[in-house]
Amino acid sequence: MAGKKVEMFEVGPCESAYQMGFLIGKRFSDTIKSRLDKDLVLRDQLLPFAQAPQSQPLIQALCNNNKTRFPTYWDELVGIAEGSSVPVLEIILINFRKEILPFLPKEVALAVDCSDDCSDLLVVSENMAIAAHNEDANVALVGHTYLVKGKLQNGLSFVAYTYAGELPSCAFGFNNHGLAFTLNSVPPTNEEVAAGGIGRNFISRDLLESTSLENAISRVRSAEVSVGHSYNLIDVQTRRIVNVETASRFRYSVNEVGATPFFHANMYTHLQVNQVEDANSRSRQKRADELPKGSKNDFMSVLGDVDNKEYPIYMRGPTLYTLCTAVIDLDEQTLSIIQGNPEKNVMTHVFSIPLVELEKP
């Protein structure tokens, strides 16, 4: 199932956030509609729940709290829906998927939502400073992603790998301040989830406008989130990488990445939170620990490893699929996107950071 080269859309500066969202939605209308049609979690779980009276307090709280905290991003979300000519409710539901699923009745929550498992390998040593990231998703997301190169009226610009219909970016991105990030889902138990808090998609959209590493950390830890997440924050200008793990009730932990390579799958590693045991993540972590990690080529071999047939680091279905690999080289100041096994190192896009210029691979 080889995917075609992911498309990039340049947008802005726009008169409003709504207009930016509208133009993104219009440009990728067919892709967004196709994603919504094929998203079984949306069709079989979220929409039936949203039509039940007991769902309304939760959905209204999510909408009101996120709209109040991030009014421009809310306008952007509405613009995406109206630009793509799809119901606003469906766009709301896919953007708040992780914030809603823990509250579904057991008889509704039939399918397992394994739509965003990812693997990251990070290091900052004298010889190299690299953040390498496998973007893993449900196989239904193949062909339903795109790159947004956005320019804002205040002069900020960003590039974000984006899931169709969602705010940029639930995956990875960077801006012209030299700040980049990659993300890992983590699985707190249901009692660790706070109803109606700030959504992870809104926090990662906010990260695209970070002005420094400290500012990025502040944006992550200051939001009263519903569910946890893991953020790999990268500053190419100060040559630093930090991993920030978060949970509800303003809990967070910051781990500075150093000379010892740091692998992060989809489990909390340093924040003490009750979490669901994930055999997939445990297996990937164990395998990564066994492999050499002394060079950039080694990093690509780790993220391309398929030794474990049930839980490979590099995934090719039938449920989970590695959509692409992002490699951020802090010394070269580049972000490269690889589609296909990263061990082959065939790049489809190379961006310079922080100049936000597209170079020919």
Side-chain angles (χ1 to χ4, degrees):
M1 189 184 294
K4 65 179 181 179
K5 180 179 176 180
V6 63
E7 295 182 51
M8 187 172 76
F9 178 54
E10 297 190 26
V11 59
C14 297
E15 294 179 359
S16 65
Y18 172 86
Q19 185 187 36
M20 175 172 279
F22 186 92
L23 292 173
I24 294 170
K26 184 177 180 181
R27 171 65 181 80
F28 293 107
S29 176
D30 290 345
T31 306
I32 293 170
K33 289 175 180 175
S34 175
R35 185 260 169 105
L36 296 178
D37 286 343
K38 295 179 180 179
D39 191 324
L40 296 182
V41 172
L42 172 66
R43 295 287 157 202
D44 297 344
Q45 297 179 259
L46 296 178
L47 278 172
F49 176 67
Q51 292 159 5
Q54 66 265 31
S55 72
Q56 296 312 302
L58 172 64
I59 294 174
Q60 283 301 317
L62 284 168
C63 292
N64 293 339
N65 291 335
N66 284 270
K67 182 178 181 180
T68 299
R69 171 95 185 195
F70 296 116
T72 56
Y73 306 152
W74 184 265
D75 289 346
E76 193 173 307
L77 182 149
V78 173
I80 291 169
E82 297 187 355
S84 58
S85 300
V86 302
V88 175
L89 176 61
E90 296 191 14
I91 297 297
I92 289 171
L93 293 176
I94 62 170
N95 277 276
F96 288 131
R97 182 183 76 250
K98 289 288 187 179
E99 288 75 24
I100 296 174
L101 285 172
F103 299 96
L104 265 61
K106 290 182 179 179
E107 62 270 19
V108 178
L110 300 175
V112 176
D113 179 44
C114 51
S115 56
D116 52 3
D117 285 359
C118 298
S119 297
D120 276 77
L121 190 52
L122 317 165
V123 71
V124 178
S125 67
E126 289 186 5
N127 299 324
M128 62 178 182
I130 292 171
H133 169 87
N134 274 1
E135 184 60 33
D136 305 322
N138 188 285
V139 70
L141 268 294
V142 174
H144 297 112
T145 63
Y146 41 79
L147 289 163
V148 173
K149 183 178 180 181
K151 296 181 180 180
L152 307 183
Q153 287 185 322
N154 62 5
L156 185 139
S157 56
F158 63 80
V159 171
Y161 185 89
T162 305
Y163 286 16
E166 299 190 34
L167 290 170
S169 159
C170 68
F172 58 87
F174 71 96
N175 67 22
N176 62 337
H177 289 292
L179 269 295
F181 64 84
T182 67
L183 306 174
N184 307 100
S185 175
V186 286
T189 56
N190 283 0
E191 64 269 18
E192 295 278 10
V193 180
I198 300 302
R200 298 180 313 167
N201 279 15
F202 282 79
I203 296 169
S204 54
R205 173 63 184 85
D206 193 42
L207 274 180
L208 287 170
E209 302 192 24
S210 301
T211 55
S212 68
L213 187 61
E214 289 70 24
N215 180 249
I217 295 171
S218 176
R219 290 171 190 254
V220 168
R221 65 176 175 78
S222 64
E224 191 170 359
V225 300
S226 281
V227 294
H229 213 35
S230 172
Y231 301 85
N232 304 302
L233 307 178
I234 301 130
D235 186 346
V236 300
Q237 300 191 92
T238 61
R239 203 173 181 268
R240 291 178 64 197
I241 301 174
V242 298
N243 172 254
V244 185
E245 294 179 342
T246 67
S248 60
R249 299 186 290 279
F250 294 105
R251 290 172 291 172
Y252 71 96
S253 175
V254 179
N255 177 51
E256 181 103 17
V257 175
T260 301
F262 177 72
F263 183 85
H264 202 293
N266 302 103
M267 300 288 289
Y268 286 99
T269 62
H270 49 93
L271 180 63
Q272 298 304 307
V273 175
N274 294 321
Q275 60 182 320
V276 179
E277 284 299 315
D278 182 356
N280 190 328
S281 285
R282 295 290 188 203
S283 174
R284 283 181 280 144
Q285 181 74 59
K286 181 176 183 294
R287 179 59 178 162
D289 290 344
E290 296 169 352
L291 296 171
K293 295 176 283 291
S295 68
K296 192 172 183 178
N297 286 339
D298 287 345
F299 273 41
M300 297 301 96
S301 294
V302 171
L303 293 188
D305 187 77
V306 294
D307 180 74
N308 187 309
K309 301 306 178 187
E310 185 177 8
Y311 300 125
I313 295 176
Y314 179 72
M315 304 177 183
R316 271 300 180 264
T319 303
L320 288 169
Y321 195 92
T322 301
L323 300 174
C324 68
T325 299
V327 183
I328 301 167
D329 190 315
L330 284 73
D331 293 323
E332 294 181 358
Q333 298 196 339
T334 57
L335 184 150
S336 305
I337 297 177
I338 300 168
Q339 289 179 242
N341 192 305
E343 200 166 17
K344 298 179 181 177
N345 205 28
V346 179
M347 293 174 284
T348 59
H349 301 77
V350 180
F351 298 95
S352 61
I353 305 176
L355 298 178
V356 199
E357 293 173 349
L358 182 63
E359 301 174 354
K360 299 295 184 183

